[in-house]
Amino acid sequence: MQNTKIYTTAFASVYPHYIQKAEKKGRTKEEVHEIISWLTGYDEKNLQEILDNRTDFKTFFENAPQMNPNTSLIKGVICGYRIEDIEDDLMRNIRYLDKLIDELAKGKSMEKILRK
């Protein structure tokens, strides 16, 4: 898994796809924001700054206020890779977010998605 182009991709260029994926399945932008906040610790103001500044994924995760300590509970396969087996921390964090958005789109409850 050496496709590191995503590291320099602006979070703002992928963000609309997260929203679209959720809304297409009857979920909301607010739920996507709740997931992002739970995973990274960013609040609404910080998230808007990241989108406005076109911050890349590497910086997005490196500057996250606080990665959730329960991320190790996120398991499964995303994009053909088992999340637990991804050794690169940055790629694993990106895939955590992908997995959570997938779970949202598949209709899981927020309680389950946020590992409560």
Side-chain angles (χ1 to χ4, degrees), residues 2-3 8-9 19 22 24 29 35-36 43 52 60-61 67 69 71 74-75 78 81 84 90-91 96 101 105 109 116:
Q2 290 302 320
N3 183 3
T8 57
T9 300
I19 301 299
K24 196 162 69 171
K29 176 179 176 179
I35 287 170
I36 293 169
D43 61 21
D52 292 344
F60 174 79
F61 281 106
M67 289 300 291
T71 56
I74 304 169
K75 301 193 183 305
I78 188 78
Y81 294 95
E84 311 86 281
L90 178 54
M91 183 59 74
Y96 281 153
I101 299 299
S109 70
K116 291 183 180 178

Side-chain angles (χ1 to χ4, degrees), residues 2 4 17-18 20 24 26 33-34 39 46 49 53 57 60 67 69-71 75 78 91 94 97 109 112 115:
Q2 290 302 320
T4 55
H17 299 286
Y18 293 147
Q20 181 183 33
K24 196 162 69 171
H33 285 201
E34 186 176 351
L39 181 64
N46 297 136
E49 288 173 5
N53 296 335
F57 269 93
F60 174 79
M67 289 300 291
N70 289 333
T71 56
K75 301 193 183 305
I78 188 78
M91 183 59 74
I94 292 168
L97 182 54
S109 70
K112 286 185 180 180
R115 306 320 197 245

